[in-house]
Amino acid sequence: MHELLMPGNGRRRLLLGNEAIVRGAVEGNVRFVAAYPGTPSSEIIDRFSQLALEAGIYAEYSVNEKVSMEVACAAAVSGVRSLCSMKHVGLNVAADAFMTLAYVGVKAGMVIVVADDPFLHSSQNEQDNRYYAKMAGVPMLEPSTPEEARAMTTEALDLSEEYGIPCILRTTTRVNHCRGPVTFGDLPSKAPAAVFKKDPFNLVVVPMVGRKLRLALLDKLKKLQDASEHSSLNFTEGSGKWGVVTSGASYLFVKDSVRDLELEGRVKVLKLGFTFPYPKAVIRDFMSDLEKVLVVEELDPFLEEAVRITAQEAGLPVLVAGKGDDLVPRAFELDAVKVKKAMSSFFQVDYEPPEVFTAPQLPSRPPNLCPGCPHRATYYSVKKVFGDEAVYPTDIGCYTLGVLPPLRMADFLICMGSGVSTAGGFSKVLDQPVVAFIGDSTFFHSGITGLINGISHDHRFLLVVLDNGTTAMTGHQPHPGIELTPEGKIEPKVSLEKVIAGCGVKHAATVNPLQVKKTQDVLQELRRTMKEPGVSVLISKSPCPLYENRLLGKRRKVVFEVDESSCDLCKRCLEDLGCPAFSWSTSAAGDTCIRINEALCSGCSVCAQICKSIRPKKIGEGKGGNE
Amino acid sequence: MTQAEQTFQALRIFFTGVGGQGTLLATRLVGEAALEEGLPVAMSEIHGMAQRGGVVESSVVVGNVCSPTIADGEADIVLAFEPLEAARALPKCHSKTLVISSTVPVVPFTVATGQAEYPAIEDLLGAVRSRVASVIEVDTAALARDAGSERAANLVMLGVLAGTGRLPVSMKSWQEALRRILPERVQEVNRRAFQTGYTLGREL
Ligand code: SF4
Ligand code: SF4
């Protein structure tokens, strides 16, 4: 039995926040889950897909976040509780569906988990998604710990169903990827039957229906306001003439700060779990006898604005502060020390921040494409054919790491799919070759429309689709075009080649980038086709070795070694290819030499194709293996 | 009960290492052992780049404290699975911090390509030693090899931590955590590695 499906009976387990959300959803009788993976939310859909069969839940890796929200809302409109999860920027992709789904609403509970990433641990920006709840007018809950994440997921489902509107569960990296003790609740016994009742004048949003639903939404918001005012998720702790308003992970830092700054009896804390509609009366009552209030929250002043508005409307003479110099920083994550600094400065109590030692000057350790990664081989060949003068728009995935030296094969990136569309724009204004990169999963996610646009407007660029047969970056999730699955090799359900041909691409070719000469020949040919307007496409196809080895239990048969007697130390292997298995080293005789670390080499053979001094070397049975 | 256990309030343990070294598993095991012991515990991990040779950091916070993360200057113990990363984690330390560091380098790519030089291990750990209360150096490769597999270096480190007795967790709870979390086929070698580290930690 999957750990997350075990019966309750007071069982306590250390769960990742994301696992706690899954458990809460199972307890809340979710039967339909859809998501596109994205850090820090990916483990939610990963766990669901592991336990789906056993739990009688439908779970899918959708093609993108918008699609995931649409399929999940159809289930909820048909009376089946559903969940979709995404990273913060995923909601940008799904925003079109989201904004009007708020109007149409749901029949069964629907939770939209949105995982913000303050400090951009693995994201392109740190937008504060709480504003989406406000913009759409949907309720929002914000947990602080894995235990709360479990409970609030169940509560969000109930709330959503009661008011007939989807509910946001807004988390941050430090909730999703925090592990803490979670007490299991009871599991539901059976799934409800799905029923769709035709009701076009409430479900088909033409303007006259939309107008009606707009008013209905405002009415729901009033009722939700009431729910928020009475919610046990908003509560006060402690007492005093000063106050702190907080939510999410920040609450934990505040608790430690109150204790360490010895503010007990002087500061009371309002912890908000139901943050939209924010509980105006609760905030007003909290502040009614306070001299000053500090709002402690990560990212933008969302609660601070709520508190200021409330104070102003109620005519309270309380001093409100939040974001600002010496107070709560707006950028990046908070921690206990930052919060102590802000609270001590605002409440004017003594605090000696810890002395912080500086680390000595150290070599950096940036992440890198794995040894044997086919992306490196593709970049190598493209650079040989197009050189430094070409403009290289790129996209989001492992291959974005190609931005680092020595490859330096990324010039522009804003979001998923932007590689293709921006290439078209660049090609219209620049007199340089433009070569765009996009991964296979990202192509299905949001590259297709850009390609169609480019073709229909005669944009002139080469699109290189880096097809490694998986969504590698987020943990090797499937996508529509995969051939390699845990159950074995399959015919792809959606063929990348056919989609690209179907979009109207005239010059397309597929290569295995691990065959260097062939790849460069094909690239030369495609370069010639670029004399004419139009989009040419190269599908550079070779599976992610990490994924392939894991699935197929493949073991290396050869590794490669440098023949030191013929190596003339030209360093091309290091400076042009840059496989991390190479190193600049010292031979037994004390001479400088280049070595290949046998433990790291995946045996891809690319280096041996660019240098005659690199040769294969058989490895003994049982040794090796790329674990 | 030892003195340390009686006065135990809270302990913040910061883990740092390189992708592929099993730091997250070690982090998890500390959390599970603490939970087994009935101590309040919270952990935080940064996923994402682990597979691609970057730095992996995580934390376990045990006792009377809520924040799951460790700010600069707050770590009571730093468990560094690689000496360069021990030095990089110096800002997490305070003057009373105990640093347990592996002495086995994992050379970063910037060094391999000759863009930078790997400092001498003595210099790295010397820089740490000059600031903190104590540094325990662990030759994880040799000890793990003795135990049966170099891949069990993370369990050696965990054993040393357990052996120091800084965390009020009984041997029984450690054993139980290992039993529950480690996959069957690596139980034995990992237990031996843990025991090797434990003995070392005890002796110090
Ligand atoms: S995980 Fe796969 S695709 Fe990503 S860098 Fe490693 S080998 Fe390349
Ligand atoms: S064969 Fe060459 S390029 Fe491929 S992994 Fe080994 S050293 Fe790196």
Side-chain angles (χ1 to χ4, degrees), chain B residues 138-155:
Chain B
V138 188
D139 184 346
T140 42
L143 293 174
R145 218 179 301 123
D146 287 350
S149 162
E150 282 206 28
R151 296 187 56 81
N154 57 343
L155 267 288

Side-chain angles (χ1 to χ4, degrees), chain B residues 41-64:
Chain B
V41 59
M43 306 153 66
S44 184
E45 310 166 359
I46 288 302
H47 301 195
M49 286 296 170
Q51 267 167 347
R52 292 153 201 94
V55 182
V56 179
E57 296 176 340
S58 53
S59 58
V60 179
V61 171
V62 184
N64 184 22

Side-chain angles (χ1 to χ4, degrees), chain A residues 370-373 376 559-560 577 579-582 596-597 600-608 614:
Chain A
C370 303
C373 176
R376 176 178 292 103
V559 290
F560 284 74
L577 187 63
C579 169
F582 282 99
I596 291 175
N597 181 339
L600 293 178
C601 172
S602 81
C604 76
S605 89
V606 167
C607 56
I614 299 174

